[in-house]
Amino acid sequence: MSTKYIGLLMYDLPMTTEEEVRAYNYFRKNIIRKGYYQLQESVYIISSNTKERIETIEKQLSMIIPKNSSVRTILLTEEQFNKMKIISGEMKKKKK
């Protein structure tokens, strides 16, 4: 049985100036192009059969992170991710 991996990406990007909004849009479009999808506001996930693929994408994204931003990632196995508890709200059908 092979292990599947989940990359969790969380960010806080400033958006007070037009330049910051453009940088935010560029960053968000790129994470989506790389295969991430939105879990909730400013939280995206990607899955892969190899952790190396996720690590490669994270390195690529690290080169386009807007200045004065906070971006964090964590690599989980699918089993670990599936243990996540929802303590408020509901999981949308797409996310099940």
Side-chain angles (χ1 to χ4, degrees):
M1 184 172 122
S2 71
T3 302
K4 200 163 190 172
Y5 296 92
I6 304 291
L8 181 67
L9 179 135
M10 302 157 281
Y11 63 82
D12 250 340
L13 278 65
M15 292 197 309
T16 53
T17 68
E18 281 187 37
E19 181 183 345
E20 290 171 342
V21 171
R22 279 193 300 276
Y24 164 82
N25 288 329
Y26 180 77
F27 180 75
R28 185 174 178 278
K29 285 178 185 175
N30 271 280
I31 64 176
I32 292 168
R33 278 190 204 119
K34 297 286 185 187
Y36 284 86
Y37 69 91
Q38 191 172 27
L39 185 64
Q40 64 183 60
E41 191 73 31
S42 299
V43 179
Y44 286 74
I45 61 172
I46 190 170
S47 67
S48 175
N49 291 327
T50 67
K51 62 183 177 180
E52 290 79 15
R53 178 175 176 261
I54 295 172
E55 290 168 343
T56 298
I57 292 169
E58 289 173 349
K59 286 179 188 172
Q60 293 168 349
L61 292 175
S62 72
M63 294 184 256
I64 62 163
I65 294 172
K67 57 184 173 185
N68 301 323
S69 299
S70 174
V71 179
R72 298 162 193 257
T73 64
I74 187 166
L75 185 63
L76 305 166
T77 64
E78 187 175 48
E79 181 181 350
Q80 290 169 321
F81 180 80
N82 288 332
K83 290 180 182 178
M84 183 186 322
K85 295 177 185 172
I86 299 173
I87 58 174
S88 177
E90 296 179 6
M91 184 176 289
K92 295 178 183 172
K93 186 174 185 176
K94 176 182 168 185
K95 298 175 188 170
K96 286 184 180 177

